[in-house]
């Protein structure tokens, strides 16, 4: 492929947002390049995608493979297994995208669909093995698979910890909260939880005892052992390095937590540069939300190109 080939749109990221946008843009007869890092995706621990009609339980790899079978049938979208290192404004308009395989690509518009990075806690033995199975960040995603087990909500704010008693009752009748030492209003929160038949445990988690990722005991720094089968634990998130750089080099607007600011058309603060999926929202993450955002971005890009 000619590394200087011009595209209508370069999509950075090959998850639900990027692939949905690629399919829509293909059907709008745009030449599209999807740049996807060969590194394992964020959802590699997922055993199945849920809530997407017609794809219930399909693994992320199966969804991607099927998407590319569909895209290849049209012949307008190209796939490049490389990481985008820079997106810069091109002279005369549009953008130039530099990839880590040494090539560049030019495009009229760019869609960032990179997702985000979960920052896993360091020093918690067993976390990685349980992640995505019995340590979950989203009950809507895998609550069903963890139903009727004993749960603990890992929380560092009293308001969030207090939700343990009721918020997850659809999946478990036994949910406690685990908070770091010294959380404000801990005594008050503990009393409220106990009144509701729950509890608050304060301490630092150091080890998760499990059998092949199936959690059974949470070990605290003081030696306390809690019999728990599922942890609801939402680690902090950060942008992929490319997006972090672009907030500086292009001045991309973002909120206080680092999520990119986009309009209803999914356009960022930089004209012609769009963003869709988890990198724009902390609260509406998931395959369906990302796919919907990708479709909306594709519509907006098509409209912008033809008006």
């Amino acid at each position: 492929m000619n590394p200087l080939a011009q595209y209508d749109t370069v999509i950075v990221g090959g998850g639900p947002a990027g692939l949905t946008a690629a399919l829509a843009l293909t059907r709008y007869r745009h030449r599209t390049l999807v740049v996807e890092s060969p590194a394992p995706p964020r959802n590699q621990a997922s055993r199945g995608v849920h809530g997407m009609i017609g794809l219930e339980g399909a693994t992320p790899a199966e969804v991607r493979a099927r998407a590319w079978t569909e895209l290849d049938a049209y012949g307008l979208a190209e796939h490049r297994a490389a990481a985008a290192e820079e997106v810069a404004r091109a002279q005369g308009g549009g953008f130039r995208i530099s990839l880590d395989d040494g090539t560049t690509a030019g495009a009229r518009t760019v869609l960032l669909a990179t997702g985000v990075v979960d920052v896993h806690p360091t020093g918690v033995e067993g976390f990685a093995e349980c992640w995505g199975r019995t340590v979950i960040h989203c009950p809507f995603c895998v609550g069903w698979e963890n139903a009727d087990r004993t749960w603990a909500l890992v929380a560092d704010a009293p308001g969030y910890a207090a939700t343990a008693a009721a918020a997850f009752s659809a999946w478990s009748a036994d949910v406690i909260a685990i908070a770091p030492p010294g959380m404000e209003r801990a005594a008050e929160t503990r009393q409220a939880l106990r009144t509701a038949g729950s509890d608050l445990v304060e301490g630092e988690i150091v080890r998760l005892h499990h059998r092949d990722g199936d959690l059974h005991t949470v070990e605290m720094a003081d030696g306390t052992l809690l019999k728990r089968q599922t942890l609801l634990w939402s680690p902090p998130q950060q942008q992929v390095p490319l997006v972090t750089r672009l907030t500086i080099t292009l001045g991309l607007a973002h909120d206080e937590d680092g999520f990119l600011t986009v309009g209803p058309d999914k356009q960022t603060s930089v004209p012609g540069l769009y963003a869709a999926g988890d990198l724009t929202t902390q609260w509406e993450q998931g395959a369906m939300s990302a796919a919907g955002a990708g479709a909306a971005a594709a519509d907006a890009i098509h409209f912008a190109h033809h008006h």
Side-chain angles (χ1 to χ4, degrees):
M1 192 198 82
N2 175 5
L4 299 177
Q6 296 294 306
Y7 297 91
D8 292 310
T9 305
V10 169
I11 298 172
V12 183
L19 291 177
T20 302
L23 184 58
L25 288 169
T26 287
R27 290 184 51 79
Y28 303 155
R29 304 180 82 177
H30 291 240
R31 285 200 65 211
T32 305
L33 174 68
V34 179
V35 177
E36 183 180 19
S37 168
R42 176 184 174 209
N43 63 1
Q44 64 173 325
S46 170
R47 304 196 151 202
V49 174
H50 300 291
M52 293 191 78
I53 195 72
L55 291 169
E56 180 58 32
T59 67
E62 288 168 347
V63 174
R64 281 192 292 274
R66 179 165 176 173
W68 277 107
T69 298
E70 295 167 353
L71 283 164
D72 289 343
Y74 288 97
L76 277 175
E78 294 179 31
H79 180 237
R80 186 86 65 80
E85 293 197 320
E86 193 54 74
V87 176
R89 297 177 197 267
Q91 286 186 329
F95 299 90
R96 185 151 297 282
I97 300 88
S98 305
L99 310 182
D100 68 354
D101 62 3
T103 63
T104 60
R108 294 169 66 184
T109 54
V110 171
L111 172 61
L112 299 173
T114 58
V116 289
V117 178
D118 294 307
V119 184
H120 290 181
T122 56
V124 179
E125 189 181 332
F127 183 95
E129 292 83 354
C130 296
W131 176 249
R133 292 191 58 192
T134 54
V135 174
I136 64 176
H137 77 298
C138 167
F140 303 104
C141 303
V142 278
W144 175 281
E145 285 71 24
N146 283 272
D148 303 319
R149 295 161 63 91
T150 55
W151 284 31
L153 169 65
V154 179
D156 57 9
Y160 187 39
T163 66
F168 312 106
S169 59
W171 298 282
S172 174
D174 183 350
V175 187
I176 65 169
I178 300 175
M183 182 182 77
E184 59 177 330
R185 304 207 307 274
E188 170 192 334
T189 304
R190 182 181 293 106
Q191 187 55 53
L193 285 170
R194 285 181 175 172
T195 301
S198 178
D199 201 0
L200 171 70
V201 176
E202 281 184 281
E204 182 188 349
I205 298 171
V206 294
R207 187 177 178 194
L208 303 181
H209 297 264
H210 63 94
R211 298 179 192 89
D212 293 327
D214 190 1
L215 178 69
H216 57 82
T217 306
V218 178
E219 182 177 340
M220 311 297 288
D222 63 3
T224 301
L225 298 175
L226 302 172
K227 293 291 185 188
R228 290 287 121 179
Q229 296 169 305
T230 295
L231 288 187
L232 183 56
W233 193 337
S234 300
Q237 296 176 334
Q238 63 188 30
Q239 297 287 3
V240 302
L242 169 69
V243 175
T244 299
R245 284 197 298 276
L246 294 182
T247 61
I248 300 166
T249 59
L250 293 179
L252 278 182
H254 55 85
D255 68 15
E256 60 187 8
D257 295 311
F259 293 88
L260 293 192
T261 304
V262 293
D265 61 355
K266 309 304 176 187
Q267 192 165 211
T268 69
S269 58
V270 175
L273 183 61
Y274 296 76
D278 295 353
L279 79 166
T280 69
T281 173
Q282 189 169 5
W283 305 113
E284 290 182 35
Q285 295 187 357
M288 275 294 281
S289 298
D299 288 351
I301 289 168
H302 177 70
F303 188 82
H305 279 211
H306 292 275
H307 285 79

